[in-house]
Amino acid sequence: MSQAFDVAVLVGSLRADSLNRRVADALAGLAPPSISLSQVAIGDLPLYNPDLETEAPPAAWTRFRERVARADALLFVTPEYNRSVPAALKNALDVGSRPYGKSVFGGKPGAVVSVSPGAIGGFGANHHLRQSLVFLDVPLMQQPEAYLGGADKFFGEDGQLASESTAKFLGKIIHAYADWVARIKA
């Protein structure tokens, strides 16, 4: 393959130095050459309101929709807020799936990685997000599952991945995902 598959990465946490963003960065660094990961900003998206769905919707919506539409695949890296996904990520799903019949998500292979300092690794958010993605026609990688608990211990003071076992696990995830994207897109 001469060109890498373009993977749009949606990070559920809006904090610039979030554990989720660090994990997304680590996944990008461990990715094989067959995929290219780039994070897509979601923090500036106005809340979805059908009244704004006019001939000239908000510029941030248009930018987001165009970027995701160009992507070959999707990777979601999210924390868990109240046993679900953060509002910003849910809003991004709403913005990208509207207007009805013009979703930018349909058919794009996806994967979900949930990240938490807690012990269960964002299990609730992971599965809640999967419910929405099934409705949005995003085929999801099933294995390996990626619930990263204790994530506050993965990184050194410099912000870089410091856990060798975590690097190995993240490498396994991103390589399995790259292989799966290639099979789906073939």
Side-chain angles (χ1 to χ4, degrees):
M1 179 172 129
S2 62
Q3 190 172 358
F5 289 112
D6 175 25
V7 178
V9 181
L10 279 70
V11 177
S13 175
L14 299 181
R15 280 189 334 108
D17 193 34
S18 75
L19 294 171
N20 288 265
R21 195 161 312 285
R22 287 182 185 182
V23 167
D25 290 342
L27 287 165
L30 295 166
S34 61
I35 60 174
S36 174
L37 281 66
S38 64
Q39 294 179 30
V40 180
I42 64 172
D44 64 342
L45 297 173
L47 289 177
Y48 185 75
N49 176 348
D51 292 342
L52 301 177
E53 201 66 79
T54 65
E55 292 294 320
W61 288 5
T62 301
R63 174 202 42 83
F64 176 78
R65 289 169 174 166
E66 289 174 352
R67 173 59 188 99
V68 174
R70 284 193 317 270
D72 297 308
L74 306 165
L75 177 62
F76 299 87
V77 182
T78 187
E80 181 172 291
Y81 291 0
N82 302 315
R83 297 291 185 253
S84 187
V85 297
L89 184 53
K90 175 59 169 80
N91 185 56
L93 296 178
D94 293 343
V95 167
S97 65
R98 301 291 192 276
Y100 184 78
K102 296 187 178 181
S103 174
V104 297
F105 297 113
K108 294 182 188 295
V112 177
V113 176
S114 52
V115 180
S116 172
I120 61 173
F123 177 87
N126 192 305
H127 283 266
H128 202 203
L129 179 55
R130 287 172 177 274
Q131 289 177 338
S132 294
L133 294 174
V134 165
F135 178 78
L136 295 176
D137 191 29
V138 175
L140 291 168
M141 180 177 80
Q142 300 300 310
Q143 295 292 326
E145 293 181 301
Y147 314 102
L148 302 174
D152 56 326
K153 296 171 183 59
F154 294 168
F155 301 93
E157 288 186 25
D158 61 358
Q160 298 300 309
L161 198 56
S163 167
E164 191 172 316
S165 63
T166 301
K168 184 176 179 180
F169 182 65
L170 291 176
K172 178 181 174 183
I173 291 167
I174 202 63
H175 282 263
Y177 177 64
D179 292 345
W180 186 76
V181 167
R183 283 195 309 270
I184 295 292
K185 300 300 281 183

